[in-house]
């Protein structure tokens, strides 16, 4: 079986419009569900972060109310405990794309802080898209697409159909009026064709080798699409 690269945020906060820092990181389900799917199919998962920092889980994503109850929360926590690569990430700067059969970006508000402006991640995304290998991005992680700028100054994902966390969902989550910018709006401004589904319902969009999901509920079906492409 092959190796799948998880590119994860190194941020532990998200700076809001008023300058305050909202504690965050990666969203538990968005890392756990694909990790479970990929390793269950026999693939190896390698984690990379900017600078090789150990990624921080958003504590809110471990709560029972966002995991269908205490049993679901316990199951997600158990998966993360078994995810050894989280404690030993490699440096994003040292990634060799040729070593991996697929690339996956889990979300959480963390990518809005660092990956959205990370040039190394941006170059990796441009190269991964051009390589034809499966490239999967979920929820707030499409913020990283904003840094994927080609030499001519245009966004590499302009014209691609993409699912991402929507303005409606950010509003319902209580952050739309606090954020410095909104993901769906920024993607549209970059020329990305955002295909918004119903808030909080699974929505996975596949456009060529790009596989994107709208929200945490989209994580497992997104992983299934990646596995189809790797079969």
């Amino acid at each position: 079986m092959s190796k799948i690269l998880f590119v994860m945020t190194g941020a532990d906060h998200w700076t809001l419009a008023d300058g305050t820092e909202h504690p965050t990181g990666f969203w538990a389900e968005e890392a756990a569900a694909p990790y479970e799917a990929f390793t269950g199919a026999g693939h190896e998962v390698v984690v990379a972060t900017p600078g090789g920092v150990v990624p921080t889980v958003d504590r809110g994503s471990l709560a029972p109310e966002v995991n269908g109850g205490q049993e679901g929360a316990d199951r997600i926590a158990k998966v993360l405990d078994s995810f050894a690569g989280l404690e030993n990430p490699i440096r994003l700067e040292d990634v060799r794309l040729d070593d991996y059969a697929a690339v996956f970006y889990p979300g959480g508000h963390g990518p809005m802080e660092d990956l959205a402006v990370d040039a190394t991640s941006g170059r990796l995304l441009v190269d991964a898209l051009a390589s034809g290998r499966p490239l999967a991005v979920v929820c707030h992680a499409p913020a990283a697409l904003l840094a994927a700028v080609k030499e001519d100054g245009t966004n590499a994902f302009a014209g691609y159909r993409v699912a991402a966390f929507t303005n409606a969902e950010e509003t319902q989550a209580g952050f739309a009026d606090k954020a410095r910018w909104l993901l769906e709006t920024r993607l549209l401004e970059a020329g990305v064709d955002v295909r918004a589904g119903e808030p909080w319902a699974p929505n996975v969009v596949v456009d060529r080798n790009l596989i994107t999901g709208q929200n945490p509920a989209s994580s497992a079906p997104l992983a299934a699409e990646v596995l189809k492409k790797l079969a």
Side-chain angles (χ1 to χ4, degrees):
M1 288 285 120
S2 51
K3 290 200 285 190
I4 297 176
L5 179 69
F6 273 40
V7 179
M8 300 183 67
T9 179
D12 62 4
H13 68 275
W14 177 34
T15 306
L16 302 177
D18 66 359
T20 59
E21 295 183 353
H22 172 69
T24 186
F26 70 89
W27 196 260
E29 181 181 0
E30 294 168 25
Y35 172 78
E36 218 173 12
F38 297 152
T39 56
H43 299 285
E44 178 187 349
V45 168
V46 176
V47 175
T49 62
V53 303
V54 175
T56 298
V57 65
D58 187 314
R59 303 308 299 179
S61 69
L62 298 172
E65 53 267 30
V66 297
N67 288 293
Q70 189 61 52
E71 188 177 332
D74 291 345
R75 195 183 69 75
I76 290 288
K78 188 175 179 182
V79 173
L80 291 184
D81 285 343
S82 72
F83 191 164
L86 285 176
E87 297 300 319
N88 300 286
I90 64 172
R91 284 165 31 95
L92 182 57
E93 297 81 357
D94 297 334
V95 165
R96 291 181 66 256
L97 182 60
D98 288 346
D99 293 341
Y100 303 96
V103 177
F104 170 59
Y105 279 65
H109 278 115
M112 301 276 283
E113 185 74 20
D114 61 354
L115 297 180
V117 293
D118 190 295
T120 301
S121 171
R123 286 192 296 273
L124 176 67
L125 284 165
V126 172
D127 293 345
L129 189 66
S131 74
R133 56 174 48 77
L135 170 60
V137 192
V138 70
C139 200
H140 283 93
L145 308 188
L146 298 171
V149 180
K150 298 189 291 187
E151 288 181 13
D152 64 3
T154 62
N155 190 283
F157 294 87
Y160 274 79
R161 297 186 305 277
V162 167
F165 201 73
T166 63
N167 291 355
E169 286 168 320
E170 203 70 86
T171 299
Q172 291 178 23
F175 285 108
D177 60 348
K178 300 174 185 174
R180 288 181 296 174
W181 49 273
L182 296 175
L183 178 57
E184 181 182 355
T185 299
R186 276 284 176 89
L187 289 170
L188 289 168
E189 290 171 352
V192 179
D193 182 6
V194 179
R195 299 297 179 95
E198 287 298 313
W200 314 110
N203 177 32
V204 175
V205 174
V206 181
D207 189 346
R208 289 155 277 186
N209 60 313
L210 178 65
I211 307 147
T212 51
Q214 180 171 317
N215 46 37
S218 306
S219 303
L222 174 139
E225 290 292 338
V226 173
L227 290 174
K228 270 195 232 174
K229 285 188 176 288
L230 289 174

